[in-house]
Amino acid sequence: MASSSGTSSGSSMLQNSGSEEDVQVLMDQRKRKRMISNRESARRSRMRKQKHLDDLMAQMAELKKENNQIITSVNITSQHYMNIESENSVLRAQADELSNRLQSLNEIASFLNASNGVFAAGDSSSFNEPTDSFFNPLNLSYLNQPIMASAAEMFHY
């Protein structure tokens, strides 16, 4: 710094150049500090970015695993559905067949009951039927006989 007591111009120049050097040193220090700070900030930014990337990769792996489990579950459920649908088709066909058989048997029973009424109301002297006849209205045990189907017919797939 220049003194107020009047210094020579040479010493003034030294002080100015010293002051400029101090300013330059100070600016270099600030520049170096800023550069170090920027490098540290960039390093932290890269670390955050890498951590975010690692988190996303882990999340992706977890979601892929979950997706595979869901796909497996859907495939198993679809297979169960197809098996049950197939079984239902077989059971529907069997139910239709049994319904048709029952309808036929009901028609036969109705015919037999109607025929027995005709024979009973008619002249018994014109029709000699044996005592153990199929058409004997008192012997309807044949109507109560179960109609058996083989296991192969019942559960044929």
Side-chain angles (χ1 to χ4, degrees):
M1 288 207 190
S3 72
S4 58
S5 62
T7 57
S8 70
S9 66
S11 68
S12 172
M13 288 292 267
L14 284 175
Q15 286 181 348
N16 277 344
S17 71
S19 170
E20 286 177 15
E21 287 176 10
D22 289 344
V23 169
Q24 188 64 32
V25 168
L26 185 61
M27 285 176 60
D28 286 345
Q29 286 177 344
R30 285 182 183 169
K31 191 175 180 181
R32 214 171 320 143
K33 265 177 128 177
R34 195 169 45 246
M35 195 174 4
I36 291 170
S37 175
N38 285 348
R39 284 181 183 162
E40 185 61 28
S41 177
R43 186 185 66 76
R44 286 192 309 265
S45 178
R46 284 190 302 272
M47 287 176 61
R48 277 193 309 270
K49 188 176 179 181
Q50 186 63 45
K51 183 180 181 324
H52 184 63
L53 183 63
D54 291 345
D55 290 346
L56 288 176
M57 295 296 276
Q59 185 179 6
M60 183 180 74
E62 185 65 30
L63 289 173
K64 279 185 177 182
K65 179 180 172 187
E66 220 175 286
N67 193 32
N68 286 337
Q69 289 174 343
I70 290 170
I71 288 171
T72 301
S73 176
V74 166
N75 287 340
I76 290 171
T77 303
S78 295
Q79 188 61 42
H80 284 308
Y81 171 79
M82 295 301 286
N83 290 343
I84 288 174
E85 188 64 33
S86 168
E87 189 176 334
N88 280 345
S89 294
V90 169
L91 291 173
R92 279 189 203 100
Q94 288 175 348
D96 286 345
E97 181 183 346
L98 290 174
S99 177
N100 289 337
R101 284 183 183 182
L102 179 62
Q103 184 179 0
S104 296
L105 290 173
N106 284 336
E107 288 173 1
I108 291 170
S110 175
F111 174 75
L112 291 176
N113 286 337
S115 295
N116 284 337
V118 168
F119 290 125
D123 185 12
S124 61
S125 63
S126 65
F127 184 71
N128 258 344
E129 64 181 273
T131 57
D132 194 37
S133 169
F134 180 72
F135 294 109
N136 184 354
L138 299 176
N139 186 13
L140 296 178
S141 62
Y142 60 89
L143 291 178
N144 292 330
Q145 295 297 318
I147 298 174
M148 299 299 288
S150 70
E153 288 177 359
M154 291 294 291
F155 298 108
H156 184 288
Y157 291 96

